[in-house]
Amino acid sequence: MQRNIRYLIFSIVISIFSIGIFQYYQNFNESRIFNTFLENAGVVSTLHVDSSEQFKTLLDFSEVSREEFESTLNNVISNAREAYEILNNTDSSLTLKEKELLSLANLYWLQGLELFEVSILTLIDNPDSAKVQESIAQSISDLSIGDRSYEEFLFLIKTNSEAAGTFLPVLYEIEYVGLEDNSFKFADLLVEKAKSSTGGLFLRRNLSISGAEFEPTPIAVTEDDYFVLLNEKIELQVVLTNEGNVDSYDVVILILVTDEYGETIHEQQSKIDSIGPQESRIFYSDAINIEAGVLHEWFIKLEEVEKEENLNDNLYSIFGFIPPEG
């Protein structure tokens, strides 16, 4: 009988001890998972506070170039994807409301940024694209949902931490757009601002003839801007400039030399392999002999490139003559 009582007491003690050990381990494990979540939340917050600031600079559109725009947006989206993966790899056994809100914020931020990228680049390459405003508005709406979800996450986790005395990492205030009901109006404003951008965001194609000079150097210029030339073979040095923001390839230049009687004395067609954005190239015409005492015109034309904006500066004329002998 006493042996049975001792066995019963021993069993109870062992059970209580086991339950205590299990409870301790469970509390320890939950605490570890929660602390890991807090660490991840701090990293996510840092990634998004940087991205949100960079994103706001893009919305100005005024001075940003296409290259800068794409580079910055790629960096913003890269940070958002990294933040999403960090939270996605957080222990799934953690079912806190705070985690749910932060995950929701990250999902909508990433979704909104990726849609914004596709929409804006579509607008840039095809300004007349149908329904692009709707796509931009949806991206703004997604970002707004993300902002709101993060705001609720921040409020809840700070409230609960104060009640429980939990130490929190640095969690920043984050706002990408901060809008809730005006996404379509905001999208229209963005489209207008983007289209009026002067920083090279939209593709611009524009070649020009910046100037031309005779070789050898003329000895004088008349009041009518006719160049007085030496009695030697004459060639023309032409300055070609790409005033757009995209490369131009296989640029065709035509040179026609006529005399004062309307007779063509020389024709030349050449091709320049490429001219980069804001780059100038020197082109030399064929060296030719002209008749002394007769005024000649060198007419230069650059063939237009696809969707070129301004064709007026693709034409250039310059006049010269060799004084008559004696």
Side-chain angles (χ1 to χ4, degrees):
M1 182 67 178
Q2 289 181 346
R3 180 182 297 175
N4 290 339
I5 293 174
R6 284 198 299 270
Y7 178 76
L8 179 60
I9 293 173
F10 179 75
S11 298
I12 293 172
V13 170
I14 291 298
S15 297
I16 293 173
F17 180 76
S18 298
I19 292 172
I21 291 295
F22 176 76
Q23 190 65 45
Y24 172 80
Y25 173 76
Q26 189 176 37
N27 291 340
F28 174 79
N29 193 50
E30 288 177 356
S31 178
R32 179 184 60 81
I33 294 173
F34 180 66
N35 287 333
T36 300
F37 166 70
L38 289 181
E39 291 175 8
N40 290 344
V43 175
V44 166
S45 182
T46 300
L47 286 169
H48 275 293
V49 74
D50 290 340
S51 291
S52 62
E53 291 303 318
Q54 291 182 64
F55 183 75
K56 287 173 183 174
T57 65
L58 295 179
L59 299 183
D60 182 45
F61 292 117
S62 60
E63 298 298 332
V64 67
S65 68
R66 172 68 178 263
E67 183 180 357
E68 292 169 332
F69 183 87
E70 290 192 22
S71 175
T72 302
L73 193 51
N74 284 339
N75 186 59
V76 167
I77 293 175
S78 177
N79 284 349
R81 286 174 179 158
E82 182 181 350
Y84 178 81
E85 287 302 319
I86 288 173
L87 275 182
N88 202 41
N89 292 327
T90 301
D91 197 311
S92 59
S93 64
L94 187 64
T95 57
L96 292 175
K97 180 66 174 178
E98 292 94 322
K99 180 191 174 186
E100 180 184 339
L101 287 169
L102 186 56
S103 297
L104 194 64
N106 273 264
L107 173 63
Y108 276 97
W109 278 337
L110 178 57
Q111 189 172 286
L113 290 170
E114 289 178 335
L115 182 57
F116 181 84
E117 178 184 40
V118 172
S119 304
I120 290 294
L121 293 183
T122 298
L123 173 67
I124 292 171
D125 292 335
N126 301 284
D128 299 322
S129 298
K131 298 185 177 179
V132 69
Q133 280 95 333
E134 292 182 17
S135 181
I136 295 174
Q138 182 59 57
S139 72
I140 296 302
S141 178
D142 287 346
L143 290 170
S144 296
I145 294 173
D147 288 349
R148 181 61 178 171
S149 298
Y150 183 80
E151 183 183 356
E152 291 181 13
F153 153 76
L154 213 55
F155 173 79
L156 185 60
I157 199 166
K158 286 182 177 180
T159 300
N160 290 342
S161 67
E162 288 176 3
T166 306
F167 175 78
L168 292 178
V170 176
L171 299 172
Y172 297 96
E173 302 278 346
I174 299 172
E175 184 178 272
Y176 277 89
V177 291
L179 301 170
E180 294 183 31
D181 302 317
N182 298 314
S183 57
F184 280 93
K185 182 178 180 181
F186 191 53
D188 290 339
L189 292 174
L190 283 181
V191 170
E192 286 184 25
K193 186 179 286 188
K195 287 184 175 180
S196 62
S197 165
T198 59
L201 184 59
F202 284 77
L203 300 181
R204 293 198 313 275
R205 295 175 173 85
N206 187 29
L207 298 175
S208 71
I209 302 171
S210 304
E213 294 181 355
F214 287 111
E215 292 287 343
T217 303
I219 56 179
V221 182
T222 70
E223 292 181 355
D224 296 322
D225 289 329
Y226 299 155
F227 289 87
V228 182
L229 308 174
L230 294 172
N231 194 3
E232 300 179 15
K233 275 192 171 184
I234 305 298
E235 69 176 357
L236 201 61
Q237 176 181 292
V238 184
V239 181
L240 310 177
T241 301
N242 181 355
E243 297 184 356
N245 57 13
V246 290
D247 291 297
S248 290
Y249 298 98
D250 298 329
V251 178
V252 176
I253 181 172
L254 307 170
I255 296 180
L256 183 67
V257 184
T258 58
D259 60 23
E260 61 187 47
Y261 308 111
E263 296 293 327
T264 298
I265 67 165
H266 180 74
E267 288 184 62
Q268 179 181 350
Q269 177 175 309
S270 300
K271 184 180 290 186
I272 294 91
D273 54 357
S274 66
I275 307 178
Q278 303 303 310
E279 178 187 2
S280 292
R281 295 280 297 272
I282 303 294
F283 175 80
Y284 291 92
S285 72
D286 296 335
I288 61 172
N289 289 310
I290 62 173
E291 181 182 352
V294 177
L295 181 67
H296 289 75
E297 176 188 10
W298 279 255
F299 175 77
I300 313 155
K301 177 184 178 182
L302 279 179
E303 287 197 351
E304 66 182 274
V305 295
E306 184 182 4
K307 296 181 179 180
E308 186 166 0
E309 295 180 358
N310 180 17
L311 299 179
N312 293 330
D313 51 10
N314 288 34
L315 306 175
Y316 195 93
S317 289
I318 188 170
F319 296 83
F321 67 95
I322 296 172
E325 297 181 1

